[in-house]
Amino acid sequence: MAMLSIVIPIHNEEHSILPLYDRLTAVLEQLQRPYEILFVDDASSDRSFELLANLVETDGRLKVVRLRRNFGQTAALSAGFHEAKGDIIVAMDGDLQHAPEDIPALLQKIDEGYDIASGWRQHRVDNALSRKLPSRIANWLMAKASGIELRDFGTTFKAYRAEVLKDVNLYGELHRFIPALASFYGARIAEVPIRSTRRASGGSHYGIGRTFRVMFDILTIKFMLKYFTRPCISSDRSAWPYHFGRRHHGLPGRQEAAGYEIVAAHGPLMFAGGLLLMAGLMMFTTGLIGEMMMRTYFESQDRRIYAVREILTRKPHGVPGSAK
């Protein structure tokens, strides 16, 4: 049967590692499939790596990838995907908010022929104002921007065919948008309801401040899906600002002649507003150009967005050391 790779990014999750490992191995043993578990330690400052290093000595199907510094969840997932050997890769968080018991439901969709089985937190237990509402708005915008009718883009809990991930390169914080990126290559996507539970301990690594970053990511994804291969947009769309400005160039003068002293009363404010609008537009478009250049830099040289300090596996008998 197809081999499974479970990829779990870890950052300061010492209280969740052992319970997660016990529940995960119990589920995987029942599946009766060959599998491996990859924990990616994103430079934890607690005892997470120590616990993982001890677990490695007890399980030959366990691998621990330790990054040199805290690169973020996207980079940690990318490192896990690169090291994974399975035909099907399941990604999940390490804080026990994802139930390992839902893995069979994701795999069922893959067995039915889908390329991605995306988890849907149908009944979220997060704060309604700071987490649920921004998430619903972001998911709606992402569905409109990508054309994919998913109700939960944000969850990490997904199952992928390995060949789909080979076509997707991750940068920034785009791990939550893998289904949208994979859709560019024709991936078939299904959504599976999953359980959502509260964190057993510790606090979330995300706050309300990430909402703005997600909004910019949505605009980036929209550009990449529709215009990345043809960034010089067709003339009828690129020329509309010129025609709009030309049409309304004489509007203040006509209104002033009619008795409205708009320019005299609001001229400086109108000028400042227009200047800020143009400055914001230029900064955003410069960012899109930077996105394209950054991808060219990394992909042309086959560089990674992370650096690995060591990779631990169980020591073979009679062979000293196991770190790569």
Side-chain angles (χ1 to χ4, degrees), residues 105-278:
L106 297 176
L107 297 179
Q108 181 180 351
K109 288 297 181 182
I110 299 296
D111 292 338
E112 290 176 6
Y114 290 97
D115 299 304
I116 299 177
S118 181
W120 169 33
R121 293 165 292 183
Q122 189 172 9
H123 304 290
R124 293 191 63 171
V125 296
D126 296 316
N127 182 275
L129 183 61
S130 63
R131 299 295 295 274
K132 286 186 180 180
L133 181 60
S135 179
R136 287 189 178 184
I137 295 174
N139 285 322
W140 181 82
L141 290 173
M142 192 63 238
K144 295 299 181 183
S146 64
I148 302 175
E149 295 301 323
L150 288 183
R151 287 160 288 196
D152 191 354
F153 283 88
T155 182
T156 309
F157 202 11
K158 296 179 175 70
Y160 310 91
R161 294 188 185 274
E163 61 266 22
V164 171
L165 292 176
K166 292 179 181 178
D167 295 325
V168 177
N169 295 296
L170 300 180
Y171 303 97
E173 297 183 6
L174 296 185
H175 65 274
R176 61 178 65 89
F177 301 132
I178 293 178
L181 295 171
S183 70
F184 181 82
Y185 300 99
R188 294 163 295 180
I189 304 168
E191 196 165 37
V192 180
I194 59 174
R195 282 165 280 190
S196 176
T197 58
R198 298 187 184 277
R199 291 178 60 94
S201 61
S204 174
H205 301 299
Y206 295 100
I208 190 67
R210 75 166 180 163
T211 303
F212 299 100
R213 298 196 299 271
V214 171
M215 296 303 175
F216 284 112
D217 285 341
I218 290 174
L219 294 175
T220 301
I221 290 296
K222 177 66 175 179
F223 172 79
M224 292 176 59
L225 292 178
K226 198 166 186 179
Y227 305 116
F228 195 65
T229 57
R230 49 189 180 96
C232 189
I233 308 172
S234 58
S235 59
D236 59 330
R237 295 190 179 186
S238 60
W240 74 263
Y242 167 76
H243 294 297
F244 181 83
R246 181 179 179 182
R247 178 179 178 182
H248 295 278
H249 177 72
L251 180 61
R254 290 197 300 269
Q255 289 185 334
E256 185 179 5
Y260 299 96
E261 300 179 353
I262 294 181
V263 175
H266 304 288
L269 184 61
M270 292 172 59
F271 177 78
L275 187 62
L276 290 174
L277 180 62
M278 292 301 298

Side-chain angles (χ1 to χ4, degrees), residues 1-13:
M1 300 181 68
M3 180 177 176
L4 302 180
S5 293
I6 313 299
V7 176
I8 308 172
I10 293 292
H11 182 65
N12 295 340
E13 304 290 355

Side-chain angles (χ1 to χ4, degrees), residues 41-112:
D41 179 34
D42 194 19
S44 297
S45 57
D46 61 1
R47 296 178 59 248
S48 294
F49 179 73
E50 180 183 343
L51 294 174
L52 293 173
N54 291 332
L55 278 177
V56 162
E57 298 302 320
T58 66
D59 191 343
R61 289 171 290 191
L62 181 62
K63 181 184 293 186
V64 177
V65 181
R66 188 183 190 186
L67 303 185
R68 289 189 175 274
R69 65 171 178 84
N70 181 234
F71 287 92
Q73 189 174 15
T74 297
L77 284 171
S78 182
F81 294 159
H82 183 256
E83 291 293 331
K85 306 300 182 184
D87 304 296
I88 300 173
I89 300 176
V90 177
M92 61 188 301
D93 289 338
D95 55 7
L96 287 178
Q97 287 193 290
H98 296 155
E101 292 77 14
D102 287 329
I103 290 179
L106 297 176
L107 297 179
Q108 181 180 351
K109 288 297 181 182
I110 299 296
D111 292 338
E112 290 176 6

